[in-house]
């Protein structure tokens, strides 16, 4: 069994090799090693160790994706099995219906889609299309991301594609440290359900909304395609890789950063700020009122 010191050193090695801002690595390593030398982690175990190291990482470098995570089920440490958590993420998507929790037609011909995760474009295209097909005839749409905890940049781009008329909208870019290159994300040219380009869209957010969910909210808001209703989101804009450093501990390392084509920046550390600020549990009511007013005006 690995000691806490060995787990921490393995995590710092992964951070040093992959973190998207290499100029910040030295300060992160110094702070965590200083705390370790002072015995701050010696008596901690499991989730408590992960929480303590994460707090110290983020005190030096306030990146919400930079953290240690405890997993109950033992994981393989063999390099052949390591894929940045991709296989586990895809299994999670399948188990959770690719993030689509519910689709409803509400009074006043208003569609509602609630998402818990943002699926991948390849694996989840059919489910995204099925959800959008069910609301295709609505007069306005509410996209509920209040409990959406993240997902795939490609999937976020596919969701966003439905709300624009064609494939000519440059949504955002993602810079990757590992390749020192920038990938552009545009609206998709072909979608498995009708587009929704010309009717009101309201995106619900909360302080829980994170990562891929924030990507959808921020992008639609920045491009003037949706009204964001609710609370400021958590503020995690950096795509990450997950690496096992022990049988039960993962380190998540941001390896890339998002760049919105309208704002030139992203939501890291600040969150997506709503256009209509209300408590999360009041966001649906506020959005429905705004939608009904827009439909009847």
């Amino acid at each position: 069994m690995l000691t806490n010191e060995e787990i921490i050193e393995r995590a710092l090695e992964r951070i040093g090799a992959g973190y998207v801002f290499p100029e910040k690595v030295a300060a992160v390593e110094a702070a965590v090693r200083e705390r370790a030398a002072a015995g701050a982690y010696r008596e901690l175990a499991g989730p408590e160790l992960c929480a303590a190291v994460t707090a110290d990482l983020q005190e030096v470098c306030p990146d919400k994706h930079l953290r240690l995570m405890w997993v109950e089920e033992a994981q393989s440490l063999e390099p052949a099995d390591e894929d940045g958590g991709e296989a586990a993420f895809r299994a999670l998507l399948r188990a959770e219906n690719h993030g689509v929790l519910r689709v409803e037609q509400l009074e006043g011909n208003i569609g509602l889609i609630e998402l818990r995760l943002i699926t991948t474009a390849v694996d989840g295209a059919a489910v995204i299309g099925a959800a959008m097909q069910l609301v295709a005839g609505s007069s306005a749409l509410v996209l509920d991301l209040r409990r959406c905890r993240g997902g795939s940049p490609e999937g976020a781009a596919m969701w966003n594609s439905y709300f624009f008329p064609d494939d000519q909208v440059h949504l955002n870019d993602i810079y990757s440290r590992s390749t020192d290159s920038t990938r552009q994300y545009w609206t998709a040219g072909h979608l498995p359900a009708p587009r929704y380009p010309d009717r009101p869209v309201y995106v619900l957010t909360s302080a829980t909304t994170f990562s891929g969910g924030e990507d959808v909210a921020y992008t639609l808001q920045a491009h003037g395609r949706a009204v964001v209703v609710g609370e400021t989101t958590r503020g995690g804009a950096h795509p990450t890789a997950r690496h096992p450093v022990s049988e039960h501990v993962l380190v998540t390392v941001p390896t890339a950063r998002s760049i919105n084509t309208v704002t030139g920046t992203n939501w890291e550390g600040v969150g997506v700020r709503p256009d209509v600020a209300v408590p999360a549990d009041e966001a649906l009511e506020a959005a429905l009122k705004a939608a009904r007013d827009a439909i009847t005006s």
Side-chain angles (χ1 to χ4, degrees), residues 4-296:
N4 285 359
E5 289 74 15
E6 289 171 327
I7 291 171
I8 290 167
E9 283 302 319
R10 287 187 174 193
L12 291 177
E13 180 180 345
R14 287 295 190 179
I15 292 169
Y19 188 43
V20 67
F21 297 111
E23 68 277 9
K24 298 182 179 181
V25 168
V28 168
E29 291 177 339
V32 173
R33 287 190 176 121
E34 181 180 353
R35 293 283 290 157
Y41 312 126
R42 190 170 299 132
E43 303 302 323
L44 301 179
E48 292 79 15
L49 173 66
C50 293
V53 175
T54 296
D56 291 335
L57 288 171
Q58 295 186 0
E59 183 177 357
V60 178
C61 186
D63 187 322
K64 297 292 179 64
H65 279 110
L66 186 64
R67 62 194 191 273
L68 262 61
M69 298 176 61
W70 177 263
V71 292
E72 293 295 338
E73 184 175 347
Q75 56 197 341
S76 171
L77 300 179
E78 292 297 323
D81 295 335
E82 189 178 342
D83 63 354
E86 188 66 24
F89 177 59
R90 290 185 169 181
L92 176 65
L93 289 173
R94 291 191 294 271
E96 297 200 16
N97 193 38
H98 291 277
V100 178
L101 181 67
R102 61 172 174 153
V103 183
E104 293 186 29
Q105 194 79 358
L106 303 178
E107 183 180 351
N109 196 31
I110 299 171
L112 171 67
I113 299 175
E114 182 177 354
L115 300 180
R116 294 290 183 86
L117 289 169
I118 304 299
T119 187
T120 64
V122 173
D123 297 323
V127 176
I128 296 173
M132 291 302 300
Q133 184 69 61
L134 289 172
V135 300
S138 61
S139 300
L141 177 64
V142 176
L143 191 60
D144 189 349
L145 303 178
R146 288 176 293 180
R147 291 185 282 180
C148 186
R149 57 192 187 273
S152 160
E154 293 80 10
M158 174 163 279
W159 273 110
N160 287 327
S161 294
Y162 278 94
F163 304 108
F164 297 93
D166 51 38
D167 60 356
Q168 299 301 303
V169 181
H170 186 183
L171 298 168
N172 52 40
D173 298 327
I174 293 182
Y175 167 78
S176 171
R177 175 187 168 183
S178 63
T179 60
D180 191 27
S181 63
T182 299
R183 176 178 175 179
Q184 296 183 348
Y185 287 82
W186 292 70
T187 46
H190 302 282
L191 297 168
R195 295 180 186 269
Y196 202 96
D198 52 1
R199 283 157 284 173
V201 178
Y202 301 86
V203 177
L204 309 186
T205 60
S206 75
T208 300
T209 310
F210 191 56
S211 191
E214 294 177 290
D215 185 345
V216 174
Y218 188 91
T219 302
L220 292 177
Q221 181 188 58
H223 284 270
R225 188 58 195 92
V227 176
V228 177
V229 182
E231 299 171 343
T232 299
T233 60
R234 282 179 62 190
H238 297 153
T240 65
R242 297 184 176 193
H243 304 286
V245 292
S246 79
E247 286 190 342
H248 294 281
V249 177
L250 289 167
V251 60
T252 66
V253 182
T255 58
R257 58 186 175 89
S258 299
I259 308 164
N260 184 269
T261 55
V262 175
T263 67
T265 183
N266 59 46
W267 60 95
E268 179 63 41
V270 296
V272 182
R273 296 186 175 94
D275 301 297
V276 180
V278 296
D281 59 0
E282 299 176 13
L284 178 57
E285 181 180 352
L288 291 176
K289 181 181 184 306
R292 289 171 183 135
D293 290 345
I295 292 169
T296 58

